[in-house]
Amino acid sequence: MSEKQNDATKETTWPPTPKNELAEDVIFEAAALYRPVKGRETVQALMIAVSDYYARMEFTAPSAVLGDATYLQWEGTTPSGTELKGATVITRNAEGLISHIAVHQRPLGGLLEFSTDFGSRFSATGAVPADSFYQG
């Protein structure tokens, strides 16, 4: 299930998810967001932008599936060199489409840096309002 992105240092098993795997009303929640992001187009754009943001992103354990949820553990490095670790939970609906994504990042300092830096970059696209992210 793993695929290589253009940058050989980035290995991923989830973003960018093909649009046809996301439910129309998919919800993306993250510790770095003040409110959930909703909708297939916006969530896909967010997932692609997040995967492109990290200087390094690796999944550190095999994914685990329990019922309709898939659990992923990962670690990454921001463009400034800050190390983050996290877990992502991807939930599928009865049709097998991704209906919910929850991303949990740590430590807090890295999370706040990510939310501020990524938020200013991504909110500039107009896809998600700037106040969805930490402003510092």
Side-chain angles (χ1 to χ4, degrees), residues 29-101:
E29 294 182 290
L33 291 167
Y34 279 115
R35 66 190 58 80
V37 172
K38 300 177 183 178
R40 179 183 291 149
E41 301 292 331
T42 306
V43 168
Q44 184 184 43
L46 178 64
M47 291 170 64
I48 291 168
V50 167
S51 66
D52 288 343
Y53 172 79
Y54 283 101
R56 180 184 65 85
M57 167 67 79
E58 296 177 25
F59 288 89
T60 57
S63 62
V65 178
L66 181 60
D68 59 358
T70 301
Y71 300 85
L72 304 166
Q73 294 180 49
W74 55 268
E75 58 184 41
T77 307
T78 66
S80 73
T82 299
E83 296 288 324
L84 289 170
K85 293 184 180 184
T88 300
V89 181
I90 299 171
T91 306
R92 293 185 181 268
N93 62 20
E95 292 80 37
L97 298 174
I98 296 171
S99 59
H100 188 259
I101 301 164

Side-chain angles (χ1 to χ4, degrees), residues 114-125:
F114 170 86
S115 187
T116 303
D117 186 35
F118 175 78
S120 66
R121 294 175 191 213
F122 188 66
S123 63
T125 69

